[in-house]
């Protein structure tokens, strides 16, 4: 069998050309009895490839599965008609565009199956298509819906339009309930998880497998799959570094890699933000800005089951959106009484570093200044140069547009300043951890760089008075947790009036060095 070509390929092309594969057909075998399923996964995770696999299996195309688990574990005598709907291509800018798109999808199916519609409405023709296919083929119909939510997400920044599009889609999806006697399998995929009431009202038998441990590796590559299927491409590559950069996505089962990342990495042999660069999270950043959300808190969040569940156009929570779009993943779960709580974190270095860099580019003046500051920060830590570090902290905030300060309330200055400094460290790939707990309190930022540790505390001068930042680190004995290591204490104080640093003080052991304006 030939080696896998590096690039995104369709299921048929991989098999027809005899290439190696990551065999996910055991999961398809688990769906052989049919039913109604919903799966949410971030973009570029192979959802479309999954539906293509399901389509080929239920159509009885055994020749495509040679060498796969399903080849000898499927009833190939029964071929089912398949209605395959995808809203993934293009951008829907209006209800009219959505109607045109769906009309073309129905037209294509009519041409494929030689069906003539008698009904005029889109909803009516969708229903007619399902019933006629069942009648002609004498087999129940399989309905596969890919990117079911994309028309809504295309207009998520325009709530009124998004709601109109949602209602139009709801009209189409309502057909599934009435057509139940004619359906064998319904499988719906998308990035987000809109509430069942808002889009699938009445479809009570729709099983959400998004957080099912059984299906956690349905999309994405496990560590074992990476090391076995792609073994020939991994010679001389540090697998632990690959894991750090790209592994970590978790839906209460085994952690997986994003296939898009892995295929491009194996082609380029360079660590880069391949997945992150494939889309820009502008709407997400605007939401973070509007909610004044402290970016460092994204490093480790605790949320309830309800918050992690479905959402709607008029009820979007930052944490929910970050999880469903893949910028955060599940790090753990716990049960408290009758409640379930999840811990969320960045899945890997690519997302942590790239999101921080994107936040900086959104909040600062020019990309050149931002990049120069980031490079200088790394070089400064290598030299352990505190005079230069103080200059850089001052430069960080000098690069922020003047009008940004007017958007911040005085009470939010400290969290805002911490966010900017955190993003600079994270954007360089440096190990920075916010809100680190000790037995006497929480440290704003802890930076781990080679064999050194920096404990950084931030204060707003108008709220606390001068000298309080370093004083708090010492009074609460934050360094005691890191006994025996090379630790530096850094106190940074800002003035909301001057909009920059007024005091930068650092200390190693008992020797204090201070720089004041």
């Amino acid at each position: 069998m030939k080696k896998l070509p590096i690039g995104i390929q369709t299921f048929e092309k991989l098999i027809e050309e005899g290439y190696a594969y990551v065999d996910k057909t055991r999961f398809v075998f688990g769906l052989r009895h049919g039913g109604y399923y919903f799966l949410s996964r971030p973009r570029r995770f192979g959802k479309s490839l999954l539906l293509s696999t399901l389509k080929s299996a239920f159509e009885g195309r055994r020749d495509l599965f040679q060498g796969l688990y399903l080849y000898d574990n499927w009833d190939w005598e029964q071929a089912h008609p398949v209605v395959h709907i995808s809203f993934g291509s293009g951008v829907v800018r209006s209800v009219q565009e959505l109607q045109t798109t769906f009309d073309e999808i129905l037209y294509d199916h009519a041409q494929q199956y030689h069906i003539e519609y008698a009904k005029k409405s889109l909803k009516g023709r969708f229903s007619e298509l399902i019933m006629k296919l069942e009648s002609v083929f004498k087999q129940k119909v399989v309905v596969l819906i890919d990117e079911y939510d994309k028309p809504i997400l295309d207009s998520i920044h325009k709530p009124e339009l998004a709601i109109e599009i949602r209602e139009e889609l709801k009209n189409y999806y309502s057909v599934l309930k009435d057509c139940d006697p004619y359906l064998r399998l319904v499988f719906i995929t998308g990035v987000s998880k809109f509430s069942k009431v808002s889009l699938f009202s009445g479809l009570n038998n729709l099983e959400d497998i998004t957080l099912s441990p059984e299906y956690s590796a349905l999309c994405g590559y496990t560590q074992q799959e990476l090391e076995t299927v792609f073994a020939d491409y991994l010679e001389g590559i540090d697998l632990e570094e690959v894991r750090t950069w790209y592994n970590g996505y978790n839906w209460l089962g085994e952690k997986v890699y994003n296939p898009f990342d892995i295929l491009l990495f194996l082609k380029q042999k360079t660590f880069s933000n391949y997945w992150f660069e494939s889309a820009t999270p502008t709407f997400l950043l605007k939401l973070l800005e509007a909610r004044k959300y402290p970016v460092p808190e994204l490093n480790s969040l605790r949320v309830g089951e309800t918050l992690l569940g479905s959402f709607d156009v008029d009820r979007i929570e930052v944490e929910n959106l970050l999880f469903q779009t893949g910028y955060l993943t599940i790090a753990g779960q716990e049960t408290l009484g009758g409640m379930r709580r999840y811990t969320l974190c960045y899945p890997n270095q690519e997302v942590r570093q790239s999101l921080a860099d994107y936040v900086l580019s959104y909040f600062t003046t020019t990309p050149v200044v931002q990049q120069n500051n980031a490079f200088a920060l790394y070089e400064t830590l290598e030299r352990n140069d505190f005079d230069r570090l103080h200059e850089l902290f001052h430069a960080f905030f000098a690069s922020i547009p003047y009008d940004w300060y007017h958007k911040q309330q005085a009470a939010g200055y400290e969290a805002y300043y911490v966010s900017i400094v955190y993003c600079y460290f994270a954007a360089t790939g440096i190990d920075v951890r916010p809100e680190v707990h000790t037995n006497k309190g929480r440290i704003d930022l802890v930076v781990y760089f080679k064999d050194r540790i920096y404990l950084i505390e931030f204060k707003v001068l108008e709220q606390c008075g001068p000298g309080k930042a370093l004083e708090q680190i010492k009074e609460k004995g934050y360094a005691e947790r890191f006994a025996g290591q090379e630790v530096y204490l850094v106190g940074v104080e800002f003035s909301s009036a001057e909009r920059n640093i007024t005091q930068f003080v650092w200390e190693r052991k008992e020797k204090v060095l201070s720089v004041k304006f």
Side-chain angles (χ1 to χ4, degrees):
M1 182 171 286
K2 291 182 278 185
K3 294 179 182 179
L4 182 72
I6 304 305
I8 306 301
Q9 303 289 331
T10 65
F11 179 78
E12 288 93 350
K13 186 173 180 61
L14 286 176
I15 303 305
E16 286 174 356
E17 296 185 3
Y19 292 106
Y21 46 77
V22 176
D23 188 356
K24 297 288 185 178
T25 61
R26 288 179 182 270
F27 293 105
V28 175
F29 177 77
L31 303 171
R32 64 193 182 282
H33 297 305
Y36 292 73
Y37 297 93
F38 172 84
L39 177 71
S40 169
R41 286 291 185 270
R43 56 189 165 83
R44 303 290 191 178
F45 254 89
K47 299 184 297 296
S48 299
L49 184 59
L50 168 64
L51 292 194
S52 177
T53 307
L54 284 168
K55 180 176 185 293
S56 297
F58 278 98
E59 287 179 337
R61 302 180 65 184
R62 189 185 188 193
D63 58 304
L64 297 179
F65 292 83
Q66 189 170 1
L68 296 170
Y69 174 81
L70 214 61
Y71 189 79
D72 294 320
N73 294 280
W74 190 261
D75 183 1
W76 299 106
E77 298 301 318
Q78 291 192 45
H80 294 266
V82 178
V83 175
H84 189 186
I85 297 169
S86 175
F87 291 111
S89 61
V91 176
V92 172
R93 301 180 183 85
S94 66
V95 173
Q96 290 71 30
E97 282 195 16
L98 174 61
Q99 291 170 339
T100 299
T101 297
F102 194 52
D103 180 52
E104 291 172 349
I105 291 172
L106 293 175
Y107 172 81
D108 289 341
H109 281 81
Q111 293 294 104
Q112 176 186 351
Y113 290 113
H114 308 289
I115 288 175
E116 292 186 5
Y117 295 118
K119 297 181 178 180
K120 300 299 182 183
S121 71
L122 295 174
K123 174 183 176 181
R125 280 190 279 156
F126 184 23
S127 176
E128 187 178 5
L129 172 63
I130 294 172
M131 288 188 287
K132 284 189 173 181
L133 287 178
E134 194 273 344
S135 176
V136 171
F137 284 84
K138 308 301 179 185
Q139 291 283 359
K140 290 190 174 183
V141 180
V142 171
V143 174
L144 308 173
I145 303 177
D146 192 17
E147 304 288 2
Y148 86 101
D149 54 341
K150 188 176 181 297
I152 305 174
L153 298 179
D154 286 342
S155 301
I156 197 70
H157 58 293
K158 300 177 180 178
E160 292 185 1
L161 176 58
I163 290 174
E164 289 180 14
I165 291 174
R166 181 197 67 189
E167 292 304 301
E168 183 69 14
L169 285 171
K170 182 178 180 180
N171 193 37
Y172 305 156
Y173 299 147
S174 67
V175 168
L176 300 173
K177 177 188 175 183
D178 295 334
C179 286
D180 179 70
Y182 311 98
L183 296 172
R184 170 67 178 268
L185 173 74
V186 172
F187 203 104
I188 302 169
T189 72
V191 169
S192 59
K193 180 183 172 184
F194 281 92
S195 67
K196 189 179 293 186
V197 173
S198 67
L199 272 175
F200 304 111
S201 182
L203 204 60
N204 298 322
N205 53 347
L206 182 63
E207 181 181 353
D208 182 7
I209 61 173
T210 300
L211 295 182
S212 172
E214 178 185 357
Y215 293 101
S216 62
L218 176 58
C219 294
Y221 299 153
T222 66
Q223 187 67 30
Q224 182 181 8
E225 289 168 342
L226 172 70
E227 294 183 23
T228 53
V229 175
F230 302 98
D232 291 343
Y233 289 92
L234 295 172
E235 294 178 10
I237 291 177
D238 185 342
L239 288 178
E240 188 56 39
E241 190 172 7
V242 176
R243 188 199 303 266
T244 299
W245 263 88
Y246 301 121
N247 198 2
Y249 296 95
N250 187 3
W251 290 276
L252 300 182
E254 187 174 1
K255 293 180 180 179
V256 296
Y257 291 88
N258 182 308
F260 187 79
D261 268 330
I262 290 301
L263 294 176
L264 289 177
F265 168 74
L266 293 177
K267 178 182 180 181
Q268 302 293 341
K269 297 296 178 66
T270 301
F271 291 100
S272 186
N273 54 348
Y274 301 113
W275 174 78
F276 194 93
E277 282 186 337
S278 64
T280 53
T282 305
F283 173 75
L284 175 59
L285 292 183
K286 288 181 179 179
L287 191 61
L288 290 171
E289 174 189 347
R291 305 282 175 86
K292 294 181 171 59
Y293 203 96
V295 177
E297 290 188 10
L298 301 179
N299 197 67
S300 181
L301 283 176
R302 287 185 172 183
V303 299
E305 189 171 16
T306 302
L307 187 60
L308 203 61
S310 58
F311 72 100
D312 214 333
V313 176
D314 53 359
R315 187 175 58 84
I316 299 176
E317 299 296 336
V318 173
E319 298 86 350
N320 189 302
L321 189 62
L322 283 162
F323 170 67
Q324 294 190 13
T325 50
Y327 298 108
L328 293 179
T329 195
I330 297 175
Q333 64 172 322
E334 57 185 329
T335 301
L336 304 173
M339 302 178 295
R340 184 173 296 163
R341 183 166 65 184
Y342 299 99
T343 300
L344 305 181
C345 68
Y346 295 116
N348 49 46
Q349 182 170 330
E350 179 197 18
V351 176
R352 179 175 61 251
Q353 186 170 334
S354 300
L355 185 60
D357 188 64
Y358 201 83
V359 169
L360 285 176
S361 67
Y362 185 74
F363 291 155
T364 55
T365 49
T366 65
V368 174
V369 171
Q370 171 199 334
Q371 289 297 314
N372 287 341
N373 285 341
F375 286 126
L377 176 61
Y378 194 93
E379 294 169 347
T380 297
L381 288 184
E382 282 192 316
R383 296 193 301 267
N384 203 27
D385 184 346
F386 282 90
D387 289 337
R388 179 59 175 147
L389 186 62
H390 161 243
E391 293 173 0
L392 278 175
F393 274 34
H394 192 273
F396 292 168
F397 303 107
S399 67
I400 300 170
Y402 176 82
D403 62 350
W404 240 96
Y405 292 93
H406 294 291
K407 300 177 182 178
Q408 307 300 314
Q409 298 175 350
Y413 275 134
E414 184 176 323
Y416 173 62
Y417 284 125
V418 174
S419 293
I420 294 297
V421 174
Y422 168 84
C423 285
Y424 265 110
F425 278 108
T428 63
I430 294 171
D431 185 358
V432 55
R433 306 176 194 180
E435 297 290 332
V436 175
H437 289 262
T438 73
N439 60 344
K440 295 182 180 179
R442 294 186 298 181
I443 312 169
D444 284 340
L445 289 181
V446 177
V447 177
Y448 296 81
F449 188 82
K450 297 186 176 179
D451 57 349
R452 301 189 295 274
I453 297 174
Y454 302 84
L455 311 183
I456 309 177
E457 189 70 25
F458 300 87
K459 294 295 179 186
V460 175
L461 181 65
E462 287 82 357
Q463 296 175 14
C464 301
K468 295 298 182 181
L470 184 62
E471 182 181 315
Q472 178 172 315
I473 300 177
K474 297 167 69 175
E475 284 184 351
K476 296 197 173 184
Y478 288 157
E480 294 174 6
R481 173 176 171 175
F482 308 94
Q485 303 179 70
E486 186 177 348
V487 180
Y488 294 85
L489 318 180
V490 182
V492 183
E493 295 174 7
F494 312 94
S495 168
S496 57
E498 297 183 27
R499 301 188 302 279
N500 214 310
I501 297 173
T502 56
Q503 189 175 68
F504 180 96
V505 185
W506 66 274
E507 174 181 330
R508 180 186 178 188
K509 301 297 184 182
E510 298 301 324
K511 186 177 181 181
V512 178
L513 296 177
S514 175
V515 180
K516 295 184 180 180
F517 284 98

